[in-house]
Amino acid sequence: PNAKAQTINLTYSNFFPPTHGHAIAGANMIKEIEKRTNGRVKISYFPGGTLTKPAVCYDGVVKGISDIGQSCFAYTRGKFPVMEAVDLPFGYKSGKVATRVAYEFYKRMRPAELNDVKVLVIHAHGPGILAAKKDVNSLKDIKGMKIRCTGLSSKLAKYLGAVPVAMPQNQAYEALQKGVVEGTFCPIEVLKGWKQGEVVDYVIETGSLGYTTAMYVVMNKKKYESLPPDIQKVFDEVGEEWVDVHGDVWNSADREGYKFVVELGKKIHGLSPAEEKKWVQSINPIIIEYQTRMEEKGLPGRKAVSLLKELVAKYNK
Amino acid sequence: MFWNSINWILEKMKIIGAACLVGMTFLTCADVIGRFFLHPIFGSVEIVAFMATLSVAMALPYTHKIRGHVGVEILVRLLSDRTQAIIDICTGILSLCLFAIVTWRMTTYAHTMHKAGEVSMNLELPEYYIIYVASFCLLIFTLIILQDLMNNIKRLKGK
Amino acid sequence: MSPTLIGVIGIFVMVVIFLSRMPVAYVMAMVGYVGFSIMISGKGGLNLLSRNIYDVFSSYGLTTIPLFVLMGQLAFNSGISHRLYNTGYKYLGSTRGGLAMATVSACTAFGAVCGSSPATAATMATVGLPEMKRYKYADELSTGAVASGGGLGMIMPPSVVLIVYGILTEQSIGALFVAGIFPAILVTILFIISIYIRCTYAPDQGPPGERFTWREKIKSLLGMAETLAVFLLVMGGLFMGLFTPTEAAAVGSFGMLLVSLIRRQLAWQGFVKALYETLGTSCMVMMLIAGAVVFGKFLAVTRIPFDIATWVGGFDLPRFMIMAIVIVIYFLGGCFMDALAFVTLTVPIFFPLVTSLGYDPIWFGIIIVMVTEMGVITPPVGINVYVVFGVARRVIGEVPLESIFKGIFPFLLAVIAGTIILMIFPQIILFLPNLMY
Ligand code: NA
Ligand code: NA
């Protein structure tokens, strides 16, 4: 009863730069929550990693640096072994598909690794592409190419015969411009969002790069539990609705990225069916490798992979 | 006896820090050359960052000892020796509290990451070891601040 | 108590504790920690402190600092910097303040390799301060030159802050990079003019030396062949895409080591000394950055940067007045906060305002980055000043902080003059990007 009179002040940390679609989606989510709680909740927003950096975001929420946080699971590897499965190259058709798959996967698996927070939203970016300074049509062309990547995508590079050069996204522009790397794996959105479209000449779309990076919007559990039930309900509902909001942002970002690259006069193309098959086969061991590793640890690797295959088939339609 | 061993550790930490400096220089160069011949050292970025972390952390007590951390002396210089000693004792206590807290929290940080099984992004190395080592460096650093504080108290008593 | 008031009190308390000669880095971390705890929660503050300190220590982007400092230390301990300045002296020694002019220009050139302003300041201070002292330059001038020159490196591409600006405002980073070149050169020239004027009125600041014949000049240049080769390797490799700026630092250190070994000028003792000095200097710089980051998080949660930006947006004034106010705010912002953090927080609010007034987005980016970066030489959070102060103490003996600030003042005037020139003649910024993009 007392809580009603008092405004509840919260903070939300988001690593996306403030002008990025997901930062704007976050800002709109705040507005919606404030509106539906009649201003009883007030949220201060810190986009652009100004409150917590991407890799400490989750921990920052658990440890009370911010109350709400948005970042990628992949930035803290090993911490989310089950959610990691979502990032594998299952051949996601779009960001919205990946987002829906990721969210439903979370709800059906309920992995223990997320027990110390309240999950509001899970979303995931569109399929990866190869953006390169030279044209690539076959496995022969990609062999020995220096490709910027991190974590999971480094394995893709290795299996495709390329040379992985690990580097964070913010250094990729310069590295591509200077020729330190000859290509990069990323969702096409990045070519506009991080401006890398300026410094590549070809974009190659292939299902073998149909991986994703799952992201979360989570809330400090104690903070959530301390809220009155009607406000908790607002958070539940808005969170549920914002899954698709973020999914749509990925789709439109990818469209914009595509447009950006075309306007810059760069060439975009796929692979021939025969070649495409070879690429997909080359990367298949990654999924098997994951499955075995998880089972060895006593985690449901096989279940995760089969569920994801099922969900991708369902939503890719 | 106790302080002698702390200072012995400090000297050894300095040597490890210096070795890390050399290591990061050589490793980065090896990576550049390797990349030129299409054999980059995968994850060298990560190892270099780890070595940089260690070199800075290892240098903490040493840098404090040689008064390497700068302070504004404009006002304090004009005061009497006694007042200077009193001010140094007060700020010494503040610094001691601050870095005791940092040491404690750094240890729990390492512990949290250890428990969660978090590993580095590229090489999947257990970064929490580095954080444990950083906590140890901070502990020695805090002890050096304590030693400094005790010397200042002696200085005040001697007046 | 309102958040704004807590923020203002925090700044005040920090400045007061600075005066107790407690290390600046510790004070910033402490006040930031306490302030954050008051604003958010005790637990949040505790975790903010440890994670941010570790974050700064472990940042790959900041590994340039120890690597470049090591390069400077190796040059210093093997006598390479000694010979560099000898050569410089043969060419410029007869001009008043000539070596300071050369140092400032070297800082700008170095800025084209190095993306970090404290790293530039620390390296150039190590190399330049003892040499300028040898030629009887006043400490005021020499320390002022390296501290200010370091900040200038930030508008010379590559620049991290410009990349962030480009992403925030959807401007071409390539265009921003080329746009920074002429302003950097302009300010360098203004720095040189300010040195010239100062040395004319106070000749003891940078006394002129003897003249040398061309024969002597060329001979001394040839004596520097291997060192020049290292510079060419670093610069060439960077532009040809063999390595990134961070890697350039390592290649530079390694090259410097090779040169000194070939010349047999670096004994084991000198090498060890260079390593230890590098440890001390980089630890100091990293702690300063960590302190500034923690303090910056505190200022961010007080929302002072947002409030100011929103407040200015509501003004009904002629457009150049609003622009002048915005510039002053970025300058003040740079005095209290790390440039990168301040730009990220405020650009999304100022950018629509400024472009709706008809200002060019590229022009605005260069102006604010330049102005904010000059915050590194202004109190109270003037990292470069503390860096140079710390390095000076090791290489030429105690130089009072007030002398460094006195030494910086004319350079600050030059920056202000530069900003006014760029406001009147935006073409200086826009000429290159318009030509190329
Ligand atoms: Na630069
Ligand atoms: Na400043």
Short mmCIF file of all heavy atoms in Angstrom, two decimals, chain C residues 24-62:
data_model
loop_
_atom_site.label_atom_id
_atom_site.label_comp_id
_atom_site.label_asym_id
_atom_site.label_seq_id
_atom_site.Cartn_x
_atom_site.Cartn_y
_atom_site.Cartn_z
N VAL C 24 45.46 11.77 -7.30
CA VAL C 24 44.28 12.19 -8.05
C VAL C 24 43.42 10.98 -8.45
O VAL C 24 42.19 11.01 -8.35
CB VAL C 24 44.74 12.97 -9.30
CG1 VAL C 24 43.59 13.22 -10.24
CG2 VAL C 24 45.37 14.27 -8.89
N ALA C 25 44.09 9.89 -8.88
CA ALA C 25 43.35 8.72 -9.33
C ALA C 25 42.52 8.14 -8.19
O ALA C 25 41.35 7.78 -8.37
CB ALA C 25 44.33 7.66 -9.85
N TYR C 26 43.12 8.06 -7.00
CA TYR C 26 42.40 7.49 -5.86
C TYR C 26 41.19 8.36 -5.52
O TYR C 26 40.12 7.86 -5.21
CB TYR C 26 43.29 7.40 -4.60
CG TYR C 26 44.60 6.64 -4.72
CD1 TYR C 26 45.01 6.04 -5.91
CD2 TYR C 26 45.43 6.53 -3.61
CE1 TYR C 26 46.21 5.36 -5.99
CE2 TYR C 26 46.64 5.84 -3.67
CZ TYR C 26 47.03 5.27 -4.87
OH TYR C 26 48.23 4.61 -4.93
N VAL C 27 41.40 9.69 -5.56
CA VAL C 27 40.31 10.60 -5.18
C VAL C 27 39.12 10.42 -6.13
O VAL C 27 37.97 10.30 -5.69
CB VAL C 27 40.77 12.07 -5.20
CG1 VAL C 27 39.64 12.99 -4.78
CG2 VAL C 27 41.97 12.26 -4.28
N MET C 28 39.41 10.37 -7.44
CA MET C 28 38.31 10.24 -8.40
C MET C 28 37.54 8.94 -8.17
O MET C 28 36.31 8.92 -8.17
CB MET C 28 38.85 10.30 -9.84
CG MET C 28 39.30 11.68 -10.24
SD MET C 28 39.65 11.84 -12.01
CE MET C 28 41.15 10.90 -12.15
N ALA C 29 38.30 7.85 -7.96
CA ALA C 29 37.65 6.55 -7.74
C ALA C 29 36.81 6.61 -6.47
O ALA C 29 35.67 6.13 -6.43
CB ALA C 29 38.69 5.44 -7.65
N MET C 30 37.37 7.22 -5.41
CA MET C 30 36.67 7.23 -4.12
C MET C 30 35.39 8.05 -4.20
O MET C 30 34.32 7.58 -3.82
CB MET C 30 37.61 7.80 -3.05
CG MET C 30 37.02 7.82 -1.67
SD MET C 30 38.24 8.37 -0.47
CE MET C 30 38.40 10.08 -0.92
N VAL C 31 35.51 9.29 -4.72
CA VAL C 31 34.32 10.15 -4.79
C VAL C 31 33.28 9.52 -5.72
O VAL C 31 32.09 9.50 -5.42
CB VAL C 31 34.70 11.57 -5.24
CG1 VAL C 31 33.47 12.43 -5.43
CG2 VAL C 31 35.64 12.20 -4.22
N GLY C 32 33.75 8.96 -6.84
CA GLY C 32 32.83 8.32 -7.77
C GLY C 32 32.10 7.17 -7.11
O GLY C 32 30.89 7.01 -7.25
N TYR C 33 32.85 6.37 -6.35
CA TYR C 33 32.27 5.22 -5.65
C TYR C 33 31.23 5.65 -4.62
O TYR C 33 30.09 5.14 -4.61
CB TYR C 33 33.39 4.41 -4.99
CG TYR C 33 32.95 3.57 -3.83
CD1 TYR C 33 32.00 2.57 -3.99
CD2 TYR C 33 33.46 3.78 -2.56
CE1 TYR C 33 31.57 1.80 -2.93
CE2 TYR C 33 33.05 3.03 -1.48
CZ TYR C 33 32.10 2.04 -1.66
OH TYR C 33 31.67 1.31 -0.60
N VAL C 34 31.60 6.62 -3.78
CA VAL C 34 30.66 7.07 -2.74
C VAL C 34 29.42 7.68 -3.39
O VAL C 34 28.28 7.37 -3.03
CB VAL C 34 31.34 8.07 -1.78
CG1 VAL C 34 30.33 8.64 -0.80
CG2 VAL C 34 32.49 7.39 -1.03
N GLY C 35 29.65 8.54 -4.39
CA GLY C 35 28.53 9.19 -5.06
C GLY C 35 27.59 8.19 -5.71
O GLY C 35 26.37 8.29 -5.58
N PHE C 36 28.17 7.20 -6.38
CA PHE C 36 27.35 6.18 -7.05
C PHE C 36 26.54 5.41 -6.01
O PHE C 36 25.38 5.11 -6.22
CB PHE C 36 28.24 5.24 -7.86
CG PHE C 36 27.47 4.35 -8.80
CD1 PHE C 36 27.20 4.77 -10.09
CD2 PHE C 36 27.03 3.09 -8.41
CE1 PHE C 36 26.51 3.97 -10.98
CE2 PHE C 36 26.33 2.28 -9.29
CZ PHE C 36 26.07 2.72 -10.58
N SER C 37 27.18 5.09 -4.90
CA SER C 37 26.48 4.35 -3.84
C SER C 37 25.29 5.15 -3.32
O SER C 37 24.23 4.60 -3.07
CB SER C 37 27.42 4.05 -2.68
OG SER C 37 28.50 3.30 -3.13
N ILE C 38 25.49 6.48 -3.16
CA ILE C 38 24.38 7.31 -2.68
C ILE C 38 23.26 7.33 -3.72
O ILE C 38 22.09 7.19 -3.40
CB ILE C 38 24.87 8.75 -2.39
CG1 ILE C 38 25.85 8.72 -1.22
CG2 ILE C 38 23.70 9.67 -2.09
CD1 ILE C 38 26.55 10.03 -0.97
N MET C 39 23.66 7.47 -5.00
CA MET C 39 22.66 7.59 -6.07
C MET C 39 21.92 6.28 -6.32
O MET C 39 20.72 6.27 -6.53
CB MET C 39 23.34 8.00 -7.38
CG MET C 39 23.76 9.44 -7.48
SD MET C 39 22.37 10.57 -7.48
CE MET C 39 21.38 9.89 -8.80
N ILE C 40 22.63 5.16 -6.36
CA ILE C 40 22.02 3.89 -6.75
C ILE C 40 21.85 2.97 -5.55
O ILE C 40 20.76 2.84 -5.01
CB ILE C 40 22.85 3.20 -7.85
CG1 ILE C 40 23.01 4.13 -9.06
CG2 ILE C 40 22.23 1.88 -8.27
CD1 ILE C 40 21.75 4.44 -9.84
N SER C 41 22.93 2.35 -5.11
CA SER C 41 22.85 1.50 -3.91
C SER C 41 24.26 1.16 -3.46
O SER C 41 25.21 1.21 -4.27
CB SER C 41 22.10 0.21 -4.21
OG SER C 41 22.88 -0.60 -5.06
N GLY C 42 24.41 0.82 -2.20
CA GLY C 42 25.72 0.49 -1.67
C GLY C 42 26.33 -0.68 -2.41
O GLY C 42 27.50 -0.66 -2.80
N LYS C 43 25.50 -1.69 -2.66
CA LYS C 43 25.99 -2.89 -3.33
C LYS C 43 26.41 -2.55 -4.76
O LYS C 43 27.47 -2.98 -5.23
CB LYS C 43 24.87 -3.92 -3.34
CG LYS C 43 25.31 -5.30 -3.71
CD LYS C 43 24.10 -6.24 -3.72
CE LYS C 43 24.45 -7.54 -4.42
NZ LYS C 43 23.25 -8.22 -4.91
N GLY C 44 25.59 -1.75 -5.44
CA GLY C 44 25.91 -1.33 -6.80
C GLY C 44 27.25 -0.62 -6.85
O GLY C 44 28.08 -0.88 -7.71
N GLY C 45 27.47 0.29 -5.88
CA GLY C 45 28.72 1.03 -5.83
C GLY C 45 29.92 0.12 -5.67
O GLY C 45 30.93 0.26 -6.38
N LEU C 46 29.81 -0.83 -4.74
CA LEU C 46 30.91 -1.77 -4.48
C LEU C 46 31.31 -2.50 -5.75
O LEU C 46 32.49 -2.64 -6.07
CB LEU C 46 30.47 -2.81 -3.45
CG LEU C 46 30.42 -2.38 -1.99
CD1 LEU C 46 29.83 -3.49 -1.15
CD2 LEU C 46 31.80 -2.01 -1.51
N ASN C 47 30.30 -2.97 -6.48
CA ASN C 47 30.60 -3.77 -7.67
C ASN C 47 31.07 -2.91 -8.83
O ASN C 47 31.93 -3.31 -9.60
CB ASN C 47 29.38 -4.59 -8.06
CG ASN C 47 29.10 -5.65 -7.02
OD1 ASN C 47 29.96 -6.46 -6.72
ND2 ASN C 47 27.92 -5.62 -6.43
N LEU C 48 30.51 -1.70 -8.92
CA LEU C 48 30.95 -0.76 -9.96
C LEU C 48 32.45 -0.53 -9.85
O LEU C 48 33.19 -0.55 -10.83
CB LEU C 48 30.22 0.58 -9.78
CG LEU C 48 30.65 1.68 -10.72
CD1 LEU C 48 29.80 1.64 -11.97
CD2 LEU C 48 30.55 3.04 -10.08
N LEU C 49 32.91 -0.31 -8.64
CA LEU C 49 34.31 0.02 -8.38
C LEU C 49 35.24 -1.08 -8.89
O LEU C 49 36.12 -0.84 -9.71
CB LEU C 49 34.46 0.19 -6.87
CG LEU C 49 35.74 0.81 -6.34
CD1 LEU C 49 35.93 2.19 -6.94
CD2 LEU C 49 35.68 0.92 -4.82
N SER C 50 35.02 -2.32 -8.42
CA SER C 50 35.95 -3.39 -8.80
C SER C 50 35.87 -3.71 -10.29
O SER C 50 36.89 -3.86 -10.96
CB SER C 50 35.67 -4.64 -7.97
OG SER C 50 34.31 -4.98 -8.08
N ARG C 51 34.66 -3.75 -10.83
CA ARG C 51 34.52 -4.13 -12.23
C ARG C 51 35.11 -3.08 -13.16
O ARG C 51 35.71 -3.42 -14.18
CB ARG C 51 33.07 -4.41 -12.58
CG ARG C 51 32.69 -5.83 -12.22
CD ARG C 51 31.23 -5.96 -11.94
NE ARG C 51 30.87 -7.28 -11.48
CZ ARG C 51 31.20 -7.79 -10.29
NH1 ARG C 51 31.97 -7.09 -9.46
NH2 ARG C 51 30.81 -8.98 -9.93
N ASN C 52 34.94 -1.81 -12.84
CA ASN C 52 35.48 -0.79 -13.73
C ASN C 52 36.99 -0.72 -13.68
O ASN C 52 37.63 -0.50 -14.70
CB ASN C 52 34.88 0.58 -13.42
CG ASN C 52 33.54 0.75 -14.08
OD1 ASN C 52 33.46 0.77 -15.30
ND2 ASN C 52 32.49 0.81 -13.30
N ILE C 53 37.57 -0.91 -12.51
CA ILE C 53 39.02 -0.91 -12.42
C ILE C 53 39.57 -2.08 -13.24
O ILE C 53 40.48 -1.92 -14.04
CB ILE C 53 39.49 -0.96 -10.95
CG1 ILE C 53 39.16 0.37 -10.27
CG2 ILE C 53 40.99 -1.24 -10.87
CD1 ILE C 53 39.52 0.44 -8.82
N TYR C 54 38.96 -3.24 -13.10
CA TYR C 54 39.44 -4.39 -13.86
C TYR C 54 39.22 -4.17 -15.36
O TYR C 54 40.07 -4.50 -16.18
CB TYR C 54 38.74 -5.68 -13.42
CG TYR C 54 39.27 -6.87 -14.17
CD1 TYR C 54 40.52 -7.39 -13.85
CD2 TYR C 54 38.58 -7.42 -15.24
CE1 TYR C 54 41.06 -8.43 -14.58
CE2 TYR C 54 39.10 -8.47 -15.96
CZ TYR C 54 40.34 -8.97 -15.63
OH TYR C 54 40.88 -9.99 -16.36
N ASP C 55 38.07 -3.58 -15.68
CA ASP C 55 37.74 -3.30 -17.08
C ASP C 55 38.79 -2.43 -17.76
O ASP C 55 39.19 -2.70 -18.89
CB ASP C 55 36.41 -2.54 -17.08
CG ASP C 55 35.46 -3.07 -18.10
OD1 ASP C 55 35.47 -4.30 -18.29
OD2 ASP C 55 34.74 -2.27 -18.69
N VAL C 56 39.22 -1.38 -17.08
CA VAL C 56 40.24 -0.49 -17.65
C VAL C 56 41.57 -1.24 -17.77
O VAL C 56 42.21 -1.21 -18.81
CB VAL C 56 40.40 0.78 -16.78
CG1 VAL C 56 41.62 1.58 -17.21
CG2 VAL C 56 39.15 1.64 -16.87
N PHE C 57 41.94 -1.96 -16.72
CA PHE C 57 43.20 -2.70 -16.74
C PHE C 57 43.23 -3.73 -17.88
O PHE C 57 44.27 -3.99 -18.45
CB PHE C 57 43.41 -3.45 -15.41
CG PHE C 57 43.92 -2.57 -14.31
CD1 PHE C 57 43.83 -1.19 -14.40
CD2 PHE C 57 44.48 -3.11 -13.17
CE1 PHE C 57 44.29 -0.37 -13.39
CE2 PHE C 57 44.95 -2.30 -12.15
CZ PHE C 57 44.84 -0.94 -12.25
N SER C 58 42.06 -4.33 -18.18
CA SER C 58 42.06 -5.45 -19.11
C SER C 58 41.63 -5.04 -20.52
O SER C 58 41.49 -5.88 -21.39
CB SER C 58 41.14 -6.55 -18.61
OG SER C 58 39.82 -6.07 -18.56
N SER C 59 41.43 -3.73 -20.75
CA SER C 59 40.94 -3.30 -22.07
C SER C 59 42.04 -3.41 -23.13
O SER C 59 43.13 -2.87 -22.97
CB SER C 59 40.44 -1.86 -21.95
OG SER C 59 40.63 -1.18 -23.14
N TYR C 60 41.72 -4.11 -24.22
CA TYR C 60 42.72 -4.28 -25.28
C TYR C 60 43.07 -2.93 -25.90
O TYR C 60 44.22 -2.67 -26.21
CB TYR C 60 42.20 -5.22 -26.37
CG TYR C 60 43.18 -5.39 -27.51
CD1 TYR C 60 44.37 -6.08 -27.31
CD2 TYR C 60 42.94 -4.84 -28.76
CE1 TYR C 60 45.29 -6.22 -28.33
CE2 TYR C 60 43.86 -4.98 -29.79
CZ TYR C 60 45.03 -5.67 -29.57
OH TYR C 60 45.95 -5.80 -30.58
N GLY C 61 42.07 -2.06 -26.04
CA GLY C 61 42.30 -0.74 -26.62
C GLY C 61 43.35 0.05 -25.86
O GLY C 61 44.08 0.85 -26.44
N LEU C 62 43.43 -0.17 -24.55
CA LEU C 62 44.38 0.60 -23.75
C LEU C 62 45.76 -0.05 -23.67
O LEU C 62 46.66 0.51 -23.04
CB LEU C 62 43.82 0.81 -22.33
CG LEU C 62 42.58 1.69 -22.26
CD1 LEU C 62 42.07 1.78 -20.83
CD2 LEU C 62 42.87 3.09 -22.77
#
